[in-house]
């Protein structure tokens, strides 16, 4: 048996997919209607010591219909190995009210500061929610 592809290999998940992201999407939907979401910025999740962490920034239409979007920072920690496997911690916090172009610049600046070789992925709400 070599190290090449085989039946036990799994293809990588699409951005925002997987058990941790699903739990996060559910928590976000409890705070804001999915139909109000404009953009979800997905940072690359990372794994360490049997745990996975993920962060998303969710931009939603403001209730007053102005040009500003409500911004939520949503984070999860999921235990992926060991006897506590499947347990998670979820945080969803409203963090700003801002024009869309400012949000995109702030997201890029955060990625640059972290030195992440893979910038956050901007997706629509259909990644998490049907319809």
């Amino acid at each position: 048996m070599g190290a090449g592809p085989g039946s036990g290999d799994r293809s990588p998940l699409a951005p925002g997919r997987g058990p941790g992201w699903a739990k996060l999407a559910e928590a976000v939907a409890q705070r804001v209607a999915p139909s109000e979401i404009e953009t979800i910025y997905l940072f690359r999740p990372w794994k360490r010591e049997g745990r996975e962490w993920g962060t998303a920034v969710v931009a939603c239409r403001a209730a007053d219909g102005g040009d500003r979007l409500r911004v939520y920072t949503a984070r999860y920690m999921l235990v992926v190995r060991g006897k506590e496997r499947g347990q998670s911690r979820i945080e969803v916090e409203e963090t700003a009210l801002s024009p869309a172009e400012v949000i995109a610049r702030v997201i890029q600046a955060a990625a640059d500061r972290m030195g992440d070789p893979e910038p956050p992925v901007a997706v629509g709400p259909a990644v998490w929610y049907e319809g």
Side-chain angles (χ1 to χ4, degrees):
M1 292 206 189
S7 62
D9 292 339
R10 287 185 272 163
S11 59
L13 293 173
R17 300 290 185 172
W21 291 115
K23 290 177 184 234
L24 194 62
E26 183 179 319
V28 168
Q30 291 175 4
R31 293 284 304 266
V32 61
S35 61
E36 295 177 2
I37 296 173
E38 291 282 324
T39 307
I40 303 170
Y41 297 91
L42 301 168
F43 287 79
R44 183 173 53 92
W46 53 280
K47 292 182 181 182
R48 184 173 176 202
E49 297 176 2
R51 296 172 188 257
E52 177 181 295
W53 288 266
T55 300
V57 174
V58 181
C60 306
R61 287 185 288 282
D64 65 8
D67 67 339
R68 294 178 181 256
L69 299 174
R70 286 178 297 135
V71 180
Y72 293 85
T73 301
R75 297 180 179 97
Y76 75 86
M77 183 284 301
L78 176 67
V79 179
V80 293
R81 283 195 338 238
K83 63 183 178 180
E84 296 177 346
R85 182 178 180 164
Q87 293 185 20
S88 62
R89 186 173 59 235
I90 306 290
E91 298 174 9
V92 179
E93 177 182 15
E94 187 171 351
T95 53
L97 185 64
S98 178
E101 58 275 0
V102 172
I103 297 167
R105 286 195 310 260
V106 169
I107 295 294
Q108 187 57 53
D112 292 345
R113 277 194 312 274
M114 292 184 329
D116 193 343
E118 295 180 37
V121 177
V123 298
V127 166
W128 283 352
Y129 311 105
E130 293 182 24

